[in-house]
Amino acid sequence: MPFPASHPALDRALSERGYAEPTPVQSAVLEAEQGRDLLVSAQTGSGKTVAFGLALAPTLLGEAEKFAEFGAPVALVIAPTRELALQVSNELQWLYAQTGARIVSCVGGMDPKVERQALNRGCHIVVGTPGRLRDHLERGSLDLTTLKAVVLDEADEMLDMGFHEDLTFILETAPAERRTLMFSATLARDIVQLAKTYQQDALRIDTVAGNKSHADIEYKAIRVAPNEVELAVVNVLRYFEAPGALVFANTRERVKHLTSSLRERGFSVVGLSGELTQSQRSEALQALRDGHARVCVATDVAARGLDLPDLGLVIHAEIPVNKAGLLHRSGRTGRAGKKGVSVLLVSYTRRRKVELMLQSASITAEWSGPPSAEMILENDRKRMLADPVLTAPVEDEDMLALGRQLLEKTTPEQVAAALIRLYQQKLPAPEDVYDDERMKRQQATGKNDKGQADVPYTDFARGGDMVWYRINIGRDKNADPKWLMPTICRVGHVTKKDIGSIKIFERETKFEITLEMQAKFEAAIAQGLEDGVKIDPAVKPGPSEKPVSRWDKKPGAGGDRPEKKPWKAREEGGDKPAWKPREDRPEGAKKPWVKRDDAAPAQKKPWVKREDAADKPAWKAREDRPQGEKKPWVKRDDAAPAAEGKKPWVKRTPNDPTPEGKKPWVKKPPVEGKTPWTPRSDAEAAPATAGDKPWKGKPKGGDRPWAAKDARGKPAAPRAPYKAKGPR
């Protein structure tokens, strides 16, 4: 169907650009009621930029053919990343070229002074990222008073990146009477809430078919060993030979490493990550668009919105975090009706995660091993024979004359061989990459090597015959399985599941390799090992060969064995503390242990159980209890109930009258090291201030209201008034 009419100037721009039929999202937006807010869910690569550009025309231009004078902007487009914002700006430039629109981009990484100057000169449409737009608003460089429409492109990504506060600030600054268009790949809960808050009676458009996501993309999952991912990237690039390829990694360091590695192998490659300046990122993308670079290694910064022509291949060198990341990465290819391939490189440690991710995204992927060198060379032959250069007509007479001279001096076979040699010289050499045969077999049968039901590959399930090898690293070099295992995997091109038992001796270590991986392992170690590392075949350790434990060395002699506990059990001879139960202890009693003999140092309390082996006795009132034993208090009688909130205890003796405001208690009988204070008589004692502790002087120094008693309980000789200088 032809494009519905939107605006004459935009219709002409579409016709000149070669747009014949609208995409589903463009049709849905153009058919919507003019002037209404829109909440659109559409997959990446569906033509959203042209869609909202066409939808804005009636609001911004009305019946006018062109924009009037330059002033404050009438439209604002917000995008999550610099690359996407610049791409949207370029799309709107050609779409609104015949309307006289002035479009200004405001993105991070660019000179803010240049942007302020452009805004001051006046414009019609501003395209930018949330952070930079908010900065211009706070500095007064951006005026939104005349704004008629706001567009949020990739709204879900902006919220995921933490721009919620910036978006709220911008939308609240914009005039309330405006049109708001929100585009998102998914309509998650936070997107719907944002729409309810800042849109008015929005029309919801959903053009994403749940079971037809990215119908133009062919998904492939390739089994690789964890240490051969880099080699698999090389072979996948060589096998497909797409005009443009995008390789995704999860970290900046990984992007740097892969970029350098591919460049060394002869690929024309650029890197793209967040640490690059805006000019460097723009140059990298432009090199890919112009064909100067064929491969781009990038982080997820390139996963959203970027439209790269002739991008036929996406490689996930590292598995994306979630389903959304997989869809957005893969969506860089298969755009605008073109076909594309998305390849996931899956090690056995990630196989289960990838299967669940594909299942949740309703994607069916073709599982296979990595392309071999023979498969790549066969494809090279087919591509060379089908090269249109060989069948294109030659109209240059000088070229034909030179060709005849070559045929006079040499045979056609030699000319053809020279042509083939020149053709192959520009192609990087393929790598030797091995398929994981067990993963292949389990995927085919659904059972592991032991015939059991298939389990996730994180489980260590080894089966089959084993072969022993020896490496010249032993306990004398602090050998430990924690770092020996990765070393063996790296130098032998095997995985952890291919390694069996590891026996560490004083000067060497013996380990097992599965019989099915023996040929691959020996081929890998024959190519060269790390400095000082030597691996040879070995025989199974015999009974006389006892491995050396890291605990066998004495403390202080180069080992890490800790000092033993200074206890020795009486009977077993271990290092358990030497306590043992008494035979005559009644069942159920507490701590049935007795102290060991005096020969062993005491680290625990040197107590033995009471002879009666009873539990801790409960305390009760005793009339005959001597003054000076524990808790010299008796229970109140029923006639004198305890006041609410106070302890139901009274002093036994003496029960002397107490001056008003003082505690009615006397101290226990003298205890060594403590002073037995008793209240003075009413005539001697100064009234205590409420709240003071009875052992301190009055505030700012007063007489101490307590007098000492001698050992017989009689008052001691009178003292001079005591002035407290601080806490006793």
Side-chain angles (χ1 to χ4, degrees):
M1 60 178 280
F3 261 96
S6 58
H7 188 276
L10 273 63
D11 292 341
R12 289 194 299 269
L14 290 172
S15 178
E16 293 175 1
R17 200 78 174 185
Y19 280 75
E21 296 182 359
T23 63
V25 65
Q26 293 167 355
S27 297
V29 168
L30 290 174
E31 292 171 1
E33 181 182 350
Q34 289 188 3
R36 189 172 179 181
D37 289 356
L38 300 178
L39 177 58
V40 183
S41 172
Q43 69 185 36
T44 182
S46 58
K48 289 182 291 185
T49 305
V50 173
F52 66 71
L54 296 173
L56 289 177
T59 304
L60 304 183
L61 290 165
E63 299 296 331
E65 179 71 16
K66 292 187 177 182
F67 282 101
E69 60 185 16
F70 303 128
V74 293
L76 178 66
V77 181
I78 311 174
T81 63
R82 292 175 274 181
E83 288 75 21
L84 182 55
L86 294 176
Q87 179 178 294
V88 169
S89 178
N90 293 333
E91 288 285 303
L92 295 179
Q93 289 281 3
W94 68 259
L95 186 61
Y96 280 82
Q98 300 184 29
T99 64
R102 178 178 288 179
I103 302 173
V104 174
S105 59
C106 300
V107 299
M110 305 296 274
D111 190 349
K113 294 181 181 179
V114 176
E115 294 175 353
R116 282 196 294 270
Q117 293 172 358
L119 293 172
N120 292 334
R121 287 194 297 267
C123 60
H124 300 104
I125 302 175
V126 174
V127 183
T129 52
R132 180 54 64 90
L133 291 174
R134 179 174 181 175
D135 182 65
H136 283 305
L137 284 172
E138 292 176 340
R139 294 175 181 270
S141 307
L142 180 59
D143 182 10
L144 301 183
T145 55
T146 61
L147 205 66
K148 295 181 180 179
V150 176
V151 178
L152 275 67
D153 192 13
E154 301 285 0
D156 55 342
E157 176 69 3
M158 286 191 281
L159 295 183
D160 291 342
M161 295 172 67
F163 287 130
H164 188 279
E165 184 179 348
D166 295 335
L167 289 176
T168 301
F169 179 85
I170 296 170
L171 293 173
E172 290 181 352
T173 306
E177 297 299 325
R178 68 173 189 274
R179 190 179 179 195
T180 305
L181 282 66
M182 204 173 291
F183 288 77
S184 176
T186 59
L187 296 182
R189 182 183 303 174
D190 48 358
I191 296 295
V192 175
Q193 184 61 42
L194 191 70
K196 289 181 180 178
T197 306
Y198 295 104
Q199 287 188 310
Q200 298 177 0
D201 188 27
L203 174 64
R204 185 163 176 171
I205 299 174
D206 188 359
T207 62
V208 177
N211 56 351
K212 296 183 180 179
S213 178
H214 295 234
D216 292 330
I217 302 175
E218 180 183 2
Y219 285 88
K220 293 182 177 293
I222 293 181
R223 302 179 295 264
V224 295
N227 58 328
E228 293 187 346
V229 172
E230 188 176 309
L231 305 181
V233 170
V234 173
N235 280 18
V236 171
L237 288 171
R238 287 284 287 107
Y239 181 79
F240 289 98
E241 285 292 332
L246 196 54
V247 181
F248 279 104
N250 292 341
T251 63
R252 298 174 180 179
E253 289 300 321
R254 186 64 172 160
V255 167
K256 279 196 218 175
H257 177 76
L258 275 174
T259 303
S260 301
S261 177
L262 293 175
R263 186 174 290 122
E264 287 177 359
R265 287 175 164 86
F267 289 93
S268 55
V269 58
V270 293
L272 185 64
S273 63
E275 66 180 354
L276 301 180
T277 63
Q278 185 56 47
S279 60
Q280 290 173 325
R281 293 161 74 167
S282 300
E283 289 174 3
L285 290 175
Q286 194 60 41
L288 203 62
R289 292 188 178 104
D290 295 341
H292 298 151
R294 191 171 68 85
V295 182
C296 178
V297 184
T299 57
D300 283 343
V301 71
R304 288 274 185 160
L306 291 184
D307 187 13
L308 300 172
D310 299 325
L311 188 72
L313 176 64
V314 169
I315 301 175
H316 306 269
E318 292 181 304
I319 302 304
V321 177
N322 50 33
K323 177 186 73 173
L326 171 64
L327 294 177
H328 283 290
R329 283 181 175 187
S330 303
R332 299 311 95 216
T333 186
R335 299 170 71 89
K338 296 181 180 179
K339 300 297 182 179
V341 179
S342 177
V343 177
L344 296 96
L345 303 181
V346 188
S347 65
Y348 68 89
T349 58
R350 293 290 182 267
R351 172 206 156 197
R352 200 63 179 170
K353 178 180 179 180
V354 170
E355 288 179 339
L356 294 175
M357 191 183 300
L358 293 172
Q359 182 180 0
S360 65
S362 301
I363 293 173
T364 302
E366 178 186 350
W367 285 84
S368 66
S372 63
E374 292 76 13
M375 296 168 62
I376 295 170
L377 295 177
E378 179 62 27
N379 271 8
D380 288 343
R381 286 190 286 270
K382 292 179 180 179
R383 282 189 287 262
M384 186 182 64
L385 294 175
D387 197 320
V389 174
L390 299 176
T391 57
V394 181
E395 298 178 355
D396 191 340
E397 292 296 333
D398 293 337
M399 188 178 299
L400 289 173
L402 183 59
R404 295 189 191 99
Q405 291 178 10
L406 286 175
L407 291 175
E408 291 174 358
K409 293 183 178 181
T410 184
T411 63
E413 289 79 7
Q414 289 177 323
V415 174
L419 177 64
I420 295 172
R421 191 181 305 113
L422 292 174
Y423 184 87
Q424 292 178 342
Q425 282 179 353
K426 66 179 182 180
L427 299 175
E431 299 286 348
D432 289 330
V433 185
Y434 297 91
D435 191 2
D436 191 327
E437 293 297 330
R438 275 179 313 205
M439 189 190 296
K440 178 180 179 181
R441 184 166 57 253
Q442 290 183 3
Q443 287 174 341
T445 64
K447 296 181 179 180
N448 60 19
D449 293 337
K450 297 182 179 179
Q452 300 168 340
D454 192 10
V455 294
Y457 275 85
T458 52
D459 296 345
F460 186 82
R462 185 178 69 251
D465 296 331
M466 310 296 289
V467 182
W468 283 91
Y469 288 87
R470 165 174 59 201
I471 186 171
N472 62 334
I473 300 175
R475 192 64 70 187
D476 59 336
K477 296 181 181 178
N478 294 324
D480 190 273
K482 292 181 180 179
W483 61 266
L484 270 177
M485 180 83 72
T487 301
I488 297 170
C489 292
R490 184 173 61 255
V491 301
H493 295 179
V494 294
T495 63
K496 186 171 72 172
K497 295 189 65 175
D498 301 319
I499 302 174
S501 300
I502 297 179
K503 305 287 186 180
I504 302 177
F505 301 95
E506 183 64 26
R507 300 185 182 279
E508 65 179 14
T509 298
K510 292 186 178 182
F511 58 92
E512 289 180 309
I513 295 292
T514 58
L515 184 61
E516 62 183 0
M517 300 301 294
Q518 180 183 10
K520 176 182 175 182
F521 182 78
E522 292 184 350
I525 63 177
Q527 295 177 0
L529 300 174
E530 300 174 358
D531 293 341
V533 177
K534 184 179 180 182
I535 299 179
D536 300 312
V539 296
K540 182 178 179 180
S544 60
E545 295 182 87
K546 183 180 180 182
V548 179
S549 170
R550 66 191 183 99
W551 303 106
D552 289 344
K553 291 190 175 182
K554 296 180 179 180
D560 52 357
R561 180 175 181 174
E563 294 283 355
K564 290 186 176 180
K565 296 179 180 179
W567 298 100
K568 185 176 181 181
R570 293 179 176 176
E571 296 176 358
E572 285 80 4
D575 56 357
K576 185 177 179 181
W579 305 98
K580 72 175 185 178
R582 294 181 56 179
E583 298 176 355
D584 57 347
R585 180 164 187 171
E587 185 177 356
K590 294 183 178 180
K591 290 188 177 179
W593 313 105
V594 295
K595 186 73 174 66
R596 62 172 297 166
D597 55 14
D598 296 336
Q603 286 190 350
K604 296 190 177 181
K605 293 182 178 180
W607 306 108
V608 295
K609 189 64 184 173
R610 297 161 50 108
E611 293 181 359
D612 54 3
D615 292 338
K616 184 177 180 180
W619 295 103
K620 64 180 180 178
R622 292 174 54 189
E623 285 83 2
D624 57 347
R625 190 171 191 172
Q627 182 84 5
E629 288 194 358
K630 296 182 179 179
K631 292 191 176 179
W633 314 104
V634 293
K635 186 77 174 175
R636 291 176 182 260
D637 55 19
D638 297 336
E644 183 179 358
K646 293 188 177 182
K647 295 180 179 179
W649 304 102
V650 296
K651 193 75 179 78
R652 189 184 309 185
T653 57
N655 194 14
D656 299 332
T658 306
E660 183 178 358
K662 297 194 175 184
K663 293 185 177 180
W665 311 110
V666 294
K667 193 68 179 173
K668 296 180 183 180
V671 180
E672 184 178 356
K674 295 185 179 179
T675 309
W677 301 102
T678 60
R680 297 186 180 204
S681 64
D682 292 345
E684 295 176 342
T689 303
D692 285 347
K693 294 182 179 181
W695 300 104
K696 295 181 180 180
K698 298 170 70 175
K700 298 184 180 179
D703 291 341
R704 179 176 291 198
W706 306 98
K709 292 174 66 178
D710 60 13
R712 295 173 294 175
K714 295 182 178 181
R719 294 185 179 185
Y722 174 82
K723 292 183 179 181
K725 295 183 179 180
R728 182 178 175 83

